[in-house]
């Protein structure tokens, strides 16, 4: 198969095109990936409201002229879309060749019947995201992932047709089963040789070969299977993510007819109630984070560099697992997890037959679920990072409604036909929905009566009635699963182990403020294989889940507790994650590193303006605190300082004077708490075990803003139209220290062979646009993302900030 990327040079227009090609409104040239929603401004009247971050949808049309050479005559021609949101109609030369509903699954459009060789062919994709609301988070709109043109002979290797897996590993030799699906689109039966080579990805050194002859009937598919012994196999692991390359070739007596290459990794996985999750024979607790598909200030656009950066931030901070929430992600994101050694729960759906939003995928589920599930598993099953398939998240059918138990079994059975090597899971919460009318009324009546002691609100909460019925009502639904995902259900662990001792559990969602308790349970219970926080990386939509509110009047605070999950415009972000929208660390991330065994000391200073007030946190929030000592205007005022440390005790020193020691460690939830008076200067915290210093953290008060510092993650990129430079922009004082309280108007501009793809911050409430090159600094920082063009040369990123001398950096494109 000849695979050619065709991301470059598409014409885009808002709306549908005029009926006659070449007439109507002129378009603009865009290079994929592209998200036309992120280019728009937010709107308080957006149909999706806070769920979509007050962004809307719309209709857009992408058109590309394909030059199809005459030698393609007699071949099959396909277009592979990695993801289009949503409802795309694919048109070639005026003919509708494909429709697709799900906005997250990859799919193919067969152009063969209408292709004109030796001529120009007009390929158009109409994207319809106009029916709002259809999502519980920001979806973006458009062709937001890559597009490839595929050509192949009439008998060829099927797209995603290679499937490799290690059946077992003995004394360093891995026995790799390679199944290759072949398609015969001719009118005659075909007997054809299939050659398989396995090589190390790092240096292409040969690791094993196999050969088999396959009979492919006319108009049908067939599978050729070989088992290859790979000696001295280098296993894929979280600490050594070794990859291999498989090359499959279809050969006649004289030549190679077709070939395809894919990567895979050799590793073994298992789950059980005694050893938990095992990778290559050793038990691992899953240190997990849930992530949505958007790429921060890029919107929905998926680039290899942005996906890799986002995943590497997780890896560098101790995460070993990612849950794709709640849909198939991009091929680039999977490749990043493969190469970084991150384990993945690969999730298919957020809805089945019962809707969560008026226009969501539930409208198409019954007719489309099989093809969407198949395409995403076939595309992804060679990735060693994928350790579980998730069939759904918090679907209302979980208690048996709408034939839910039968659906759970049917979907799990279908997955096992495609891949027998990975456990199947599904995430189940409490019954805030999903019960028959009588029981649902009982649930909410009981919940409201107990809401005060439960912390207020109703989302993902449970009451006595819900806890009592949960296990029995969900058992038939959970029975087909290998691992049962529990969302916010730590209170069900003991009952589960007692009633269902053979069940393997994974905490597939938990809240930041409860991470200590959840992780303690992971360490204590062999049935519980890991914990995934909601969320590890901030995202657009579900705005205000992580909000913090502070009240002078405790009674007002109590009233607000009933509606603290509501976030009105201009809230945009969820706001409760460990890592903000730009990839910058929040204090809770440091706490998690300590919780997972880190020896660091971390100072978290609470905003003194909130001292003495009643704190009301959203259910996914962390208190308003920062890792800085720059609270200008609060000199002489009381301030609370928390120090995160696993050590026995922590000493706090302000301007050379000890303020005493406080206990920390597990007995104190890894936190030493101090109350003091703010005084500019230097604040130091030192951790001790048995009187010996373990680690420390030092903060110094920043001065006035005097300059700009630009820190790019790379200085040279390929001129491939896809490579990105992520440049962190900081406001600094005369000593070069970040000024974390500066909020200044900033501009970004790129000259030369590259373009400015995005510019913004992780601020949760804003009306500013990430695509205009104008934004206000937040906590002293911004992020500029520069996209390479298709020509070599030098570009310059220029940053201007009000009151400061502008600065710039060169970026080379080779």
């Amino acid at each position: 198969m000849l695979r050619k990327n065709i991301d470059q040079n598409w014409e885009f227009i808002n709306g549908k095109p005029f009926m006659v090609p070449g007439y109507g409104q002129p378009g603009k040239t865009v290079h994929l990936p592209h998200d036309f929603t992120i280019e728009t401004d937010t709107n308080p009247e957006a149909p999706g409201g806070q769920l979509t971050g007050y962004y809307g949808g719309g209709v857009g049309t992408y058109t590309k002229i394909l030059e199809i050479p005459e030698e393609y005559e007699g071949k099959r021609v396909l277009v592979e879309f990695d993801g289009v949101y949503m409802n795309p109609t694919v048109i070639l030369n005026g003919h509708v060749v494909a429709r697709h509903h799900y906005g997250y699954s990859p799919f193919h459009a067969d152009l063969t019947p209408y292709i004109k060789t030796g001529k120009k062919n007009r390929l158009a994709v109409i994207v319809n995201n106009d029916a709002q609301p259809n999502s519980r988070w920001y979806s973006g709109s458009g062709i937001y992932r890559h597009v490839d043109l595929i050509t192949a002979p009439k008998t060829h290797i099927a797209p995603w047709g290679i499937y490799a897996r290690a059946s077992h590993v003995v004394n360093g030799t891995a026995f790799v089963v390679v199944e290759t699906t072949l398609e015969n689109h001719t009118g005659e039966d075909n007997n054809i040789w299939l050659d398989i080579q396995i090589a190390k990805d790092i240096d292409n050194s040969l690791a094993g070969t196999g050969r088999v002859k396959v009979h492919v009937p006319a108009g049908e598919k067939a599978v050729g299977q070989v088992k290859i012994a790979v000696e001295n196999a280098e296993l894929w692991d979280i600490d050594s993510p070794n990859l291999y390359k498989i090359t499959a070739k279809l050969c006649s007596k004289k030549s190679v007819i077709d070939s395809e290459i894919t990567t895979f990794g050799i590793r073994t996985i298992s789950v059980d109630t005694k050893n938990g999750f095992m990778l290559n024979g050793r038990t691992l607790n899953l240190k997990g984070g849930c992530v949505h598909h958007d790429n921060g200030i890029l919107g929905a656009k998926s680039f290899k560099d942005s996906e890799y950066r986002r995943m590497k931030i997780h890896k560098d901070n101790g995460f070993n697992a990612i849950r794709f929430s709640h849909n198939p992600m991009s091929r680039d994101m999977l490749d990043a997890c493969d190469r970084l050694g991150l384990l993945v729960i690969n999730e298919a759906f957020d809805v089945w037959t019962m809707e969560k939003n008026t226009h969501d995928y539930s409208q198409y589920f019954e007719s489309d679920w099989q093809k969407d599930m198949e395409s995403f598993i076939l595309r992804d099953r060679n990735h060693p990072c994928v350790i579980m398939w998730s069939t759904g998240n918090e679907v209302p059918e979980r208690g048996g409604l709408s034939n839910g138990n039968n659906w759970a079994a049917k979907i799990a059975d279908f997955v096992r036909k495609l891949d027998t090597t990975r456990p199947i899971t599904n995430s189940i919460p409490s019954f805030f929905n999903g019960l028959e009318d009588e029981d649902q009324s009982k649930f909410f009546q009981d919940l409201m009566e107990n809401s005060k002691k439960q912390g207020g609100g109703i989302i993902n909460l449970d009451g006595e009635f819900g806890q009592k019925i949960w296990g029995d009502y969900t058992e038939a639904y959970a029975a087909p699963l290998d691992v049962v995902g529990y969302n916010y259900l730590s209170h069900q662990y003991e009952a589960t182990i007692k009633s269902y001792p053979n069940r393997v559990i994974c905490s597939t969602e938990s809240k930041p403020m409860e991470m200590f308790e959840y992780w303690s349970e992971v360490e204590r219970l062999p049935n519980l294989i890991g914990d995934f926080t909601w969320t590890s990386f901030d995202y657009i939509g579900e705005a205000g889940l992580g909000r913090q509110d502070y009240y002078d009047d405790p009674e007002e605070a109590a009233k607000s507790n009933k509606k603290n999950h509501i976030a009105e415009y201009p809230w945009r972000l969820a706001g409760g994650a460990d890592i903000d929208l730009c990839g910058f660390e929040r204090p809770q991330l440091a706490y998690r590193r300590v919780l997972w065994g880190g020896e660091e000391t971390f100072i978290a200073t609470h905003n003194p303006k909130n001292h003495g007030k009643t704190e009301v946190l959203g259910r996914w929030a962390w208190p308003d605190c920062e890792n800085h000592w720059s609270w200008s205007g609060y000199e002489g005022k009381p301030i609370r300082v928390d120090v995160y440390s696993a050590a026995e005790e922590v000493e706090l020193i302000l301007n050379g004077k000890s303020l005493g020691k406080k206990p920390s460690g597990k007995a104190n939830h890894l936190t030493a708490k101090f109350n003091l008076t703010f005084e500019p200067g230097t604040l130091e915290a030192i951790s001790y075990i048995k009187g010996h210093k373990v680690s420390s953290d030092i903060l110094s008060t920043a001065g006035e803003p005097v300059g700009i510092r630009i820190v790019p993650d790379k200085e040279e990129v390929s001129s491939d139209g896809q490579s990105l430079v992520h440049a962190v922009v900081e406001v600094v004082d005369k000593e070069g220290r970040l000024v974390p309280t500066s909020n200044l108007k900033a501009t970004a501009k790129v000259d030369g062979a590259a373009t400015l793809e995005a510019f913004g911050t992780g601020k949760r409430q804003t009306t500013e646009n990430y695509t205009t090159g104008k934004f206000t600094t937040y906590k002293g920082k911004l992020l500029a993302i520069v996209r390479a063009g298709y020509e070599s040369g030098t570009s310059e990123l220029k940053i201007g900030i009000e009151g400061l001398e502008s600065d710039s950096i060169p970026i080379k494109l080779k």
Side-chain angles (χ1 to χ4, degrees):
M1 296 173 66
L2 178 63
R3 179 181 292 268
K4 178 184 178 183
N5 179 264
I6 56 171
D7 287 344
Q8 187 178 1
N9 290 334
W10 291 70
E11 181 187 56
F12 172 77
I13 63 169
N14 284 297
K16 292 186 177 181
F18 188 68
M19 64 182 70
V20 180
Y23 292 84
Q25 61 174 309
K28 67 175 182 178
T29 299
V30 300
H31 306 304
L32 308 180
H34 180 250
D35 174 4
F36 61 81
T37 291
I38 203 66
E39 298 173 352
T40 65
D41 292 328
T42 52
N43 178 4
E45 304 302 321
Q50 71 180 85
L51 290 178
T52 58
Y54 295 96
Y55 280 98
V59 176
T61 301
Y62 298 83
T63 303
K64 184 175 179 64
I65 302 301
L66 300 177
E67 298 275 1
I68 304 298
E70 291 184 358
E71 55 262 34
Y72 281 20
E73 184 71 38
K75 294 187 176 183
R76 296 196 73 218
V77 183
L78 310 174
V79 178
E80 181 177 298
F81 296 90
D82 200 43
V84 182
Y85 203 92
M86 57 179 293
N87 291 325
T89 300
V90 183
I91 299 169
L92 181 70
N93 297 326
H95 299 274
V96 173
V97 297
R99 297 185 191 274
H100 188 76
H101 297 118
Y102 198 25
Y104 301 108
S105 59
F107 68 99
H108 293 99
D110 187 357
L111 308 185
T112 309
Y114 305 111
I115 205 79
K116 297 180 179 179
T117 59
K119 296 182 179 181
K120 294 181 178 180
N121 292 255
R122 183 178 64 89
L123 177 65
V125 182
I126 301 174
V127 180
N128 187 349
N129 191 21
D130 206 35
Q132 297 279 324
N134 58 52
S135 177
R136 296 193 302 118
W137 51 83
Y138 176 83
S139 65
S141 304
I143 309 179
Y144 67 101
R145 297 179 186 164
H146 300 302
V147 180
D148 290 348
L149 184 70
I150 296 172
T151 56
K154 291 292 186 179
T155 300
H156 61 86
I157 299 167
W160 310 316
I162 302 172
Y163 175 35
R165 63 193 187 277
S167 63
H168 56 292
V169 181
V170 180
N171 297 325
T173 298
F175 295 88
V176 178
V177 178
V178 182
E179 296 179 359
T180 306
T181 301
L182 311 181
E183 296 182 7
N184 183 355
H185 291 269
T186 72
E188 299 181 358
D189 292 355
N190 206 334
N191 295 304
I192 194 164
W193 282 104
L194 173 65
D195 288 333
I196 302 294
Q197 289 187 345
I198 300 178
K200 292 182 182 180
D201 183 63
I202 193 171
D203 61 8
N204 287 318
S205 59
L206 189 64
T209 61
R211 197 173 199 229
V212 65
K213 199 168 197 178
V214 186
H215 175 71
V216 194
E220 296 184 20
K221 297 180 181 181
V223 177
Q225 183 185 96
V226 295
K227 182 178 283 187
I228 300 172
V230 177
E231 297 183 356
N232 302 311
E234 297 180 357
L235 301 186
W236 185 94
D237 203 284
I238 59 172
D239 298 319
S240 53
N242 300 301
L243 294 172
Y244 285 84
K245 223 182 275 184
I246 293 181
T247 301
K249 295 181 179 180
L250 292 185
C251 300
S252 66
K253 294 180 180 179
K254 298 180 180 180
S255 62
V256 175
I257 299 172
D258 193 22
S259 65
E260 179 71 307
I261 299 174
T262 191
T263 57
F264 82 110
I266 298 172
R267 53 102 178 101
T268 61
I269 58 174
S270 64
V271 291
D272 62 60
T273 57
K274 300 298 182 184
N275 302 291
F277 170 78
M278 300 188 79
L279 176 66
N280 299 325
R282 80 181 193 283
T283 297
L284 279 179
N285 289 331
L286 302 180
K287 302 175 180 178
C290 298
V291 297
H292 268 310
H293 82 293
D294 71 87
N295 253 309
I297 62 175
L298 287 167
K301 290 175 283 190
S302 176
F303 296 88
K304 184 178 287 290
D305 284 350
S306 62
E307 301 286 27
Y308 187 87
R309 175 181 182 262
R310 186 159 56 130
M311 292 299 98
K312 188 173 189 302
I313 291 170
H314 283 84
K315 183 75 173 183
D316 290 346
N317 282 281
F319 289 88
N320 64 20
I322 304 293
R323 177 181 172 222
F324 289 1
S325 311
H326 303 289
N327 48 260
M329 300 292 179
S330 70
R331 68 192 194 195
D332 285 344
M333 192 168 175
L334 283 157
D335 183 69
C337 291
D338 278 348
R339 297 184 183 280
L340 288 165
L342 283 168
L343 308 169
V344 169
I345 297 178
N346 208 356
E347 196 152 87
F349 306 116
D350 186 54
V351 293
W352 289 354
T353 64
M354 299 179 70
E355 71 180 42
K356 294 181 180 178
N357 288 101
T358 305
H359 302 287
D360 65 21
Y361 180 68
S362 63
Q363 299 177 97
Y364 314 109
F365 179 82
E366 291 188 65
S367 60
D368 289 10
W369 74 271
Q370 264 188 321
K371 71 178 182 64
D372 288 328
M373 179 71 83
E374 182 178 39
S375 66
F376 123 86
I377 290 179
L378 293 184
R379 185 197 65 173
D380 296 352
R381 61 185 179 177
N382 284 323
H383 289 278
C385 64
V386 178
I387 58 166
M388 276 186 266
W389 303 112
S390 173
T391 58
N393 170 70
E394 296 189 352
V395 297
E397 294 94 331
R398 64 189 176 276
L401 280 185
S402 303
N403 210 22
N405 297 334
N406 185 54
W407 274 112
K410 184 163 60 173
I411 297 170
D413 181 61
F414 183 75
V415 173
R416 290 188 177 100
K417 289 178 181 178
L418 297 172
D419 179 25
T420 61
T421 70
R422 294 174 174 90
I424 298 172
T425 189
N426 187 293
S427 295
I428 310 174
S430 73
F431 279 117
F432 57 85
N433 64 15
L435 296 172
E436 290 184 348
D437 292 351
E438 184 178 348
D439 281 339
Q440 198 71 71
S441 296
K442 289 180 181 178
F443 178 87
F444 275 103
Q445 182 178 356
D446 173 68
L447 185 62
M448 298 310 294
E449 289 175 356
N450 294 278
S451 63
K452 290 185 179 180
K453 67 179 181 180
Q454 293 287 342
I458 60 174
I459 295 178
N460 281 324
L461 287 175
D462 220 346
E464 293 178 8
F465 176 72
Q467 292 179 43
K468 180 181 178 181
I469 66 171
W470 188 87
D472 183 53
Y473 279 34
T474 58
E475 166 58 12
Y477 178 90
L481 306 175
D482 303 296
V483 177
V484 183
Y486 281 39
N487 284 4
Y488 317 104
L489 289 175
S490 59
H491 55 275
Q492 290 286 358
Y493 293 162
E494 293 291 349
T496 290
I497 293 171
K498 182 179 179 180
S499 301
Y500 312 104
N502 297 319
R503 179 178 293 183
V504 179
I505 307 166
C506 184
S507 170
T508 37
E509 287 183 29
S510 64
K511 299 185 290 293
M513 285 296 288
E514 297 176 3
M515 71 173 86
F516 182 91
E517 289 77 14
Y518 273 81
W519 191 248
S520 296
E521 294 290 76
V522 172
E523 294 182 321
R524 184 174 73 89
L525 302 172
N527 299 60
L528 183 60
I529 64 174
D531 175 49
F532 288 75
T533 185
W534 191 269
T535 58
S536 50
F537 206 100
D538 205 2
Y539 59 98
I540 306 171
E542 293 191 295
L545 293 186
R547 65 182 292 174
Q548 310 106 338
D549 294 299
Y550 297 88
Y551 295 87
D552 293 314
D553 184 352
E555 292 186 7
E556 286 296 315
K559 294 178 183 178
S560 72
N561 204 23
K562 298 178 182 178
K563 58 180 182 179
N564 66 355
H565 60 283
I566 298 173
E568 297 179 350
Y569 186 83
W571 269 94
R572 180 180 298 179
L573 312 182
D578 290 13
I579 304 158
D580 86 353
L581 196 71
C582 292
F584 304 148
E585 174 180 327
R586 287 181 173 145
Q588 68 201 63
L589 178 61
Y591 184 92
R592 196 177 302 277
R593 290 196 300 263
V594 173
L595 177 64
W596 284 341
E599 295 183 349
E600 72 179 291
T601 300
F602 185 92
I603 300 173
T605 65
H606 290 250
N607 194 326
K609 75 176 182 180
N610 300 322
H611 195 82
K613 296 182 179 181
T614 300
E615 180 182 70
V616 178
L617 298 179
R619 300 198 68 247
W620 288 267
W622 191 260
D624 185 12
C625 57
E626 303 291 345
N627 184 229
H628 70 71
W629 193 239
S630 299
W631 299 107
S632 178
Y634 289 93
E635 291 80 3
K637 301 293 184 181
I639 186 172
R640 175 180 154 188
V641 174
D642 290 344
V643 181
Y644 308 149
S645 173
E648 296 170 351
E649 58 182 358
V650 172
E651 180 181 18
L652 196 64
I653 301 169
L654 178 58
N655 293 327
K657 180 181 178 180
S658 176
L659 303 180
K661 295 180 180 179
K662 294 287 183 71
S664 187
K666 286 190 175 182
N668 297 279
H669 277 217
L670 308 173
T671 306
K673 299 179 179 179
F674 297 84
N675 286 293
L676 58 150
T677 299
F678 175 67
E679 177 184 306
T682 301
L683 185 69
E684 180 179 12
I686 304 174
S687 295
Y688 297 94
I689 295 179
K690 295 184 178 5
H692 296 286
K693 178 180 176 180
V694 176
S695 60
S696 65
D697 190 17
I698 300 175
L699 303 176
S700 297
T701 304
E704 295 296 316
V706 300
I708 301 169
R709 178 166 55 220
I710 307 172
V711 184
D713 60 354
K714 57 182 78 76
E715 296 178 351
E716 185 176 272
V717 293
S718 297
S719 56
D720 55 8
Q722 298 290 325
S723 295
L724 302 178
V725 174
H726 296 82
V728 178
V729 179
E730 298 177 321
V731 178
V732 297
D733 67 8
K734 64 180 181 180
E735 302 297 330
R737 294 174 295 211
L738 175 71
V739 183
T741 55
S742 64
N743 295 288
L744 304 171
K745 298 289 184 182
T747 60
K749 183 180 179 183
V750 175
D751 293 330
T755 57
L756 181 69
E757 194 71 11
F759 185 56
T761 71
K763 189 174 183 180
R764 301 175 298 177
Q765 302 178 65
T766 180
T767 60
E768 295 177 296
N769 189 307
Y770 302 126
T771 65
T772 62
K774 299 177 181 179
F775 226 89
T776 303
T777 64
Y778 179 61
K779 299 184 179 180
K781 291 183 177 182
L782 304 113
L783 179 67
I785 303 179
V786 179
R787 180 176 183 175
Y790 287 93
E791 296 181 1
S792 60
T794 301
S795 266
E796 186 177 29
L797 169 63
K798 300 177 180 179
I799 301 294
I801 298 179
E802 61 177 339
L804 305 176
E805 185 176 347
S806 61
D807 198 3
S808 65
I809 58 167
I811 298 171
K812 295 181 180 179
L813 282 76
K814 58 178 182 179

